[in-house]
Amino acid sequence: MARKPSVRQLIDWDHRHLWHPFTQMQEWEQEEPLIIERGKGSYLIDTEGKRYLDGISSIWVNLHGHGHPTLDRAIKRQLDKIAHSSLFGLSNPPAIQLARALIQIAPKGLTRVFYSDNGSTAVEIALKMAIQYWQQRRPDAGPKQTFLHLRLAYHGDTVGAVSVGNIELFHSRFKSLLFPTLEADPPYCYRCPLNLTYPSCQMACLDPIEQILKEHHRELAGFIIEPLVQAAAGMLTSPPGYLKRVRELCTKYDVLLIADEVATGFGRTGKMFACQHEGVTPDLMAISKGLTGGYMPLAATLTTDEIYQGFLGKYEEFKTFFHGHSYTGNPLGCAVALANLDVFKKEKTLARLQPKIKTMARLLRPLRGLPHVGDIRQRGFIAAVELVEERRTQKPYPLEARMGHRVTQEARRQGLLLRPLGHIIVLMPPLSTDVSTLARMMAILHRSIATVTASP
Ligand SMILES: Cc1ncc(COP(=O)(O)O)c(C=O)c1O
């Protein structure tokens, strides 16, 4: 076996050979990388043994903490049987059991599970299913070939997912690759596009959406939305009743509702799925991230029997959904996802989360006293703090000021790992984080914002 490389060597090889996501590598190469070697509970531990609080659940995936014995065991047990066999013309026990378990906890009416391996592919699959469904099941409904989505939406980085996204900084370079879509303003209450205030606005932002649906429903295959929390946009929380109204509009205008629960699924908002807060069943639902408790790359697209039926027919009718990935239904991923759902039950994760959500709200309140905190948003165990250069006018910091980056660097020095969304700081700890650990995270967050925003 090769000799274990030293930390120096790892740093050197990282700088020479790795290309990190969403990272300016010129800057990266000049810094000492933080190399995480181990994890325990809400902590990540680097190659020097230094412990850091995982304030964003390792990019919003971890739920029950790192190194959870039930999840560890599930992978080891499955590994004793087989690591991978495919779902192309075959099946495997964990994939079958997980599909059944997911249907039991999903919004009522979702009956089928199509696996893939990350959030972007789960979204791509939903888009492709929607397009093919209309062609095969309802050709009379119109040439339904495009999608409606919200501005600032983020549904992943593959080309289809980028087409229904709208984050200028990430997406503008790829415009030539993208298919045309229709866009509407999001319910960004802090910076309301209509200059109104909730609740007196009566959610007037839904009127332009209804107008688009009225005018374009014959072209629209679906409306894709991040339910309750538009995550990468900066954790924009929609007002109560907004999602339910979107569901009603989609039904009224015969447009499929696609819920992207990649970030919001698996307890983050306080219920298993965000849609369940408003009794909404989407026609298609994309899940990933928390599906395996943050252990393995696995994703799924769930849909209704109505959609599924549209794909049935004799082979020579070619109604098959011609889509699949080498690792579709990977048994290791499915086994750990099943264990994840077991932990939810055994540890009463959702019931135990409710008081912690309240504590989070209480601990967020004092941040309002900081002069550069413009807005604080929370939904369930997801929090975001929007920093502004000037509170009175809500003037944002310029991107070049890298305020979010500077705050998260300071938090890292103090032992808390975060990742900003521009000048918005996100806190999204594992659901298992206890109250005292949460308080420690909050205290560091407060100190870091105070320190960094105090200096120009
Ligand atoms: C709402 C939403 N959809 C899709 C994705 C893409 O998931 P992945 O990074 O696994 O491709 C993300 C990732 O952050 C997300 O937040």
Side-chain angles (χ1 to χ4, degrees):
M1 213 166 81
R3 215 165 50 88
K4 192 173 170 243
S6 67
V7 174
R8 256 300 115 218
Q9 258 170 336
L10 286 174
I11 292 172
D12 183 44
W13 294 346
D14 178 295
H15 278 159
R16 278 208 263 165
H17 304 301
L18 255 182
W19 191 341
H20 291 262
F22 283 84
T23 302
Q24 177 42 259
M25 293 303 291
Q26 180 173 307
E27 195 173 86
W28 179 269
E29 285 175 23
Q30 278 147 29
E31 290 167 1
E32 290 271 296
L34 174 54
I35 306 179
I36 299 300
E37 198 174 50
R38 286 175 295 132
K40 195 70 209 154
S42 297
Y43 284 89
L44 294 166
I45 305 158
D46 75 5
T47 41
E48 312 286 349
K50 185 162 182 223
R51 289 156 63 86
Y52 295 88
L53 290 156
D54 188 355
I56 50 149
S57 305
S58 297
I59 301 289
W60 319 345
V61 299
N62 192 283
L63 299 178
H64 309 295
H66 298 278
H68 192 291
T70 307
L71 303 185
D72 292 358
R73 209 176 315 119
I75 293 190
K76 286 176 189 156
R77 280 203 185 135
Q78 181 55 40
L79 200 51
D80 284 339
K81 296 179 189 146
I82 189 167
H84 183 64
S85 76
S86 101
L87 281 197
F88 289 67
L90 299 169
S91 204
N92 70 66
I96 298 168
Q97 287 166 267
L98 178 62
R100 184 165 182 273
L102 286 172
I103 291 312
Q104 282 167 354
I105 58 163
K108 214 163 174 304
L110 296 174
T111 55
R112 287 279 161 183
V113 176
F114 193 102
Y115 291 115
S116 58
D117 30 50
N118 61 71
S120 310
T121 52
V123 166
E124 296 276 341
I125 288 163
L127 301 177
K128 288 173 75 179
M129 279 181 176
I131 293 286
Q132 192 172 336
Y133 162 79
W134 288 112
Q135 289 171 18
Q136 293 178 174
R137 182 85 162 167
R138 303 273 312 281
D140 56 306
K144 285 174 166 284
Q145 294 294 301
T146 191
F147 294 92
L148 171 60
H149 62 86
L150 296 180
R151 298 204 173 89
L152 301 177
Y154 177 80
H155 297 290
D157 290 331
T158 52
V159 171
V162 170
S163 294
V164 291
N166 175 259
I167 296 202
E168 194 63 16
L169 182 66
F170 306 163
H171 297 163
S172 61
R173 288 190 190 276
F174 306 111
K175 280 208 169 111
S176 63
L177 293 177
L178 310 181
F179 55 75
T181 57
L182 295 166
E183 294 177 351
D185 282 323
Y188 190 173
C189 296
Y190 179 60
R191 298 182 186 281
C192 176
L194 301 173
N195 262 324
L196 298 172
T197 310
Y198 179 81
S200 60
C201 66
Q202 296 181 15
M203 293 193 281
C205 53
L206 284 165
D207 297 343
I209 291 178
E210 173 150 25
Q211 198 51 38
I212 293 174
L213 288 167
K214 198 187 254 175
E215 275 173 35
H216 296 280
H217 65 95
R218 283 188 65 78
E219 301 137 58
L220 281 170
F223 179 5
I224 181 163
I225 193 163
E226 298 164 74
L228 263 54
V229 183
Q230 216 172 315
M235 302 301 164
L236 309 183
T237 50
S238 60
Y242 179 90
L243 179 67
K244 195 169 184 346
R245 192 73 194 109
V246 165
R247 171 69 275 183
E248 287 164 3
L249 289 173
C250 286
T251 305
K252 178 172 172 191
Y253 292 100
D254 209 10
V255 167
L256 299 179
L257 174 62
I258 304 173
D260 177 354
E261 290 250 14
V262 170
T264 51
F266 299 96
R268 292 282 176 206
T269 63
K271 287 194 189 279
M272 191 56 94
F273 297 104
C275 285
Q276 291 165 331
H277 285 273
E278 303 202 358
V280 161
T281 298
D283 299 289
L284 293 139
M285 183 168 100
I287 54 174
S288 187
K289 289 197 184 276
L291 171 56
T292 61
Y295 265 58
M296 297 278 293
L298 184 72
T301 307
L302 274 55
T303 192
T304 59
D305 195 51
E306 164 60 24
I307 305 263
Y308 176 71
Q309 291 293 330
F311 290 74
L312 303 184
K314 293 202 184 91
Y315 177 77
E316 59 276 16
E317 289 178 71
F318 302 121
K319 287 184 169 178
T320 304
F321 186 48
F322 289 108
H323 187 111
H325 301 278
S326 312
Y327 287 98
T328 294
N330 171 256
L332 279 178
C334 292
V336 75
L338 269 169
N340 169 37
L341 299 185
D342 270 354
V343 174
F344 264 102
K345 268 196 215 134
K346 288 207 183 93
E347 298 188 0
K348 300 188 171 42
T349 306
L350 289 177
R352 286 168 61 189
L353 185 61
Q354 305 312 315
K356 294 194 277 189
I357 291 172
K358 291 203 180 93
T359 305
M360 183 185 249
R362 184 170 53 74
L363 294 172
L364 279 167
R365 243 170 265 144
L367 288 171
R368 292 207 184 273
L370 296 174
H372 291 277
V373 168
D375 192 26
I376 298 176
R377 296 183 278 275
Q378 184 194 358
R379 188 77 214 213
F381 219 40
I382 304 172
V385 182
E386 180 160 345
L387 303 176
V388 286
E389 191 165 0
E390 195 180 64
R391 186 189 257 168
R392 192 180 52 82
T393 56
Q394 303 183 350
K395 185 179 168 205
Y397 280 108
L399 271 182
E400 309 78 82
R402 304 190 73 197
M403 220 9 122
H405 176 74
R406 285 170 56 198
V407 169
T408 56
Q409 287 296 100
E410 178 57 31
R412 180 196 287 200
R413 268 190 288 280
Q414 299 191 32
L416 169 65
L417 293 183
L418 299 171
R419 195 164 163 94
L421 296 164
H423 47 268
I424 297 162
I425 316 292
V426 173
L427 187 72
M428 197 159 164
L431 307 186
S432 56
T433 304
D434 59 32
V435 167
S436 66
T437 311
L438 179 64
R440 215 170 307 144
M441 290 185 184
M442 246 1 146
I444 298 178
L445 178 67
H446 194 136
R447 277 201 304 273
S448 306
I449 295 175
T451 309
V452 172
T453 54
S455 61

